[in-house]
Amino acid sequence: SYRLPPVASASLSIPAAKEMPVASHVEQMIEGPDGARQRVLVHLGESPLSWLRARGRLSERHFVAGDTLRADWERAGLGARVTMRWDAAPTTGGRRGPGRAIDPTLAQMAARERFDGAIRAAGPGLADILWRVACAGEGLAAAEKALGWPSRAGKLVLTLALDRVADWYRVP
């Protein structure tokens, strides 16, 4: 692989970009294990699973299972689209009828099958919080609130779901 010499790479940097502050943390109020509310800084680039793992609240096996599920969800293209699709328009159809559907790539189809299998393995009562935390990036407290669950119930249910998904993905 080719690398730019230090002088060339330094000349390509943009000084204005270095001066602009970039928010990497936000301040949030959370409820601690003792029920007391506390103010914490949350890293924006850290997933809820990474946050739980870094604080010893999630095993390596569960983290790998959740991260694999998220990766399959992203590879399958199941997330909301925020930009226009730039792939080719259908060659037939229009006013005469529906066009031929564009075939997804084999990698997308395989990821979708793995994702669907993992969600089925988690089960209907556990898949909700699993998807919210692992794929949608919702915090545990926000997921509990959205599902109408009591505080600290989500961690137990998430752990059960991740255990089933780890078995499905054959994570040691």
Side-chain angles (χ1 to χ4, degrees):
S1 77
Y2 179 76
R3 289 187 179 184
L4 289 173
V7 175
S9 61
S11 66
L12 293 175
S13 64
I14 302 169
K18 290 180 183 176
E19 297 168 10
M20 294 175 58
V22 176
S24 62
H25 292 78
V26 293
E27 202 172 90
Q28 288 186 345
M29 294 295 290
I30 64 165
E31 187 175 321
D34 58 353
R37 295 196 49 86
Q38 53 187 323
R39 189 178 310 261
V40 296
L41 283 177
V42 177
H43 188 274
L44 293 174
E46 189 175 42
S47 75
L49 291 178
S50 298
W51 189 90
L52 290 168
R53 175 70 182 120
R55 285 147 187 86
R57 296 182 181 161
L58 202 62
S59 72
E60 182 68 22
R61 180 175 191 258
H62 291 151
F63 173 75
V64 168
D67 201 46
T68 305
L69 180 73
R70 181 202 47 79
D72 280 341
W73 181 73
E74 287 178 357
R75 262 187 226 110
L78 298 173
R81 296 207 193 307
V82 293
T83 62
M84 182 175 168
R85 290 186 59 159
W86 291 99
D87 44 0
T91 56
T92 63
R95 294 180 185 210
R96 296 182 201 164
R100 180 169 52 102
I102 298 171
D103 292 333
T105 65
L106 293 176
Q108 275 184 310
M109 291 179 358
R112 176 66 187 253
E113 288 174 12
R114 288 190 307 270
F115 175 80
D116 289 343
I119 290 294
R120 275 193 306 277
L126 307 177
D128 296 340
I129 193 156
L130 178 64
W131 179 83
R132 286 176 177 274
V133 174
C135 300
E138 240 179 69
L140 204 50
E144 288 169 342
K145 190 173 188 172
L147 293 168
W149 293 357
S151 292
R152 294 183 294 279
K155 184 180 174 290
L156 174 65
V157 178
L158 178 64
T159 304
L160 291 170
L162 287 170
D163 202 39
R164 290 182 181 184
V165 170
D167 288 343
W168 193 89
Y169 279 121
R170 296 184 179 132
V171 177

